[in-house]
Amino acid sequence: MAAYIMQMYENVLQTPIPVKYIDVEVAYVGDGEGTDVYVGAASNHGEIYRYLFHVSAGSKAAGNHQVIHHLDVSSEVYDLKIVSNSSVPNHLVIRIYCRSGAGELIGVLSEHQMLKLAN
């Protein structure tokens, strides 16, 4: 099982441009049947969004990765959770694309950078 939990808010990148939207990309890089993945967010006011999907091995672009586009980010801190049910280590590649209010790409967070932010 893999679980990433991080606090997300519009100044998470500490740039002059606030993050208003994120795109979450989850790719399966393990061997085997694949895994179910949950991506969700909750704040003090309740659930913000929830996605559940399956990613699997193979060369088919649609099967081995999923991108969730245009998720809102506000000034209020919320918990972003990415959880899979696979017991195989290092089976997912996760990237979070941070975008401005105009949709411009501000930065990209990988698993390594998410772990550094958590420490």
Side-chain angles (χ1 to χ4, degrees):
M1 182 173 168
Y4 296 90
I5 301 172
M6 67 179 292
Q7 290 189 327
M8 183 65 71
Y9 53 99
E10 63 185 21
N11 292 323
V12 71
L13 294 181
Q14 300 177 355
T15 65
I17 303 170
V19 176
K20 291 297 185 179
Y21 303 102
I22 59 173
D23 299 333
V24 177
E25 179 180 22
V26 179
Y28 185 79
V29 293
D31 295 327
E33 299 176 11
T35 186
D36 294 324
V37 178
Y38 166 83
V39 175
S43 71
N44 292 337
H45 297 92
E47 187 174 71
I48 300 171
Y49 49 80
R50 173 185 359 169
Y51 295 88
L52 183 63
F53 51 88
H54 185 82
V55 288
S56 60
S59 60
K60 295 180 183 175
N64 66 357
H65 84 283
Q66 178 81 26
V67 181
I68 305 167
H69 295 280
H70 213 66
L71 300 175
D72 288 337
V73 176
S74 69
S75 59
E76 181 181 333
V77 176
Y78 66 87
D79 290 331
L80 173 67
K81 298 176 184 176
I82 303 171
V83 181
S84 80
N85 66 349
S86 177
S87 61
V88 178
N90 304 318
H91 61 285
L92 292 179
V93 173
I94 299 169
R95 290 188 184 91
I96 298 176
Y97 299 88
C98 301
R99 301 192 180 278
S100 70
E104 299 167 325
L105 183 64
I106 299 171
V108 180
L109 295 173
S110 67
E111 300 99 315
H112 177 70
Q113 292 160 322
M114 286 186 272
L115 292 173
K116 285 178 72 174
L117 281 174
N119 289 336

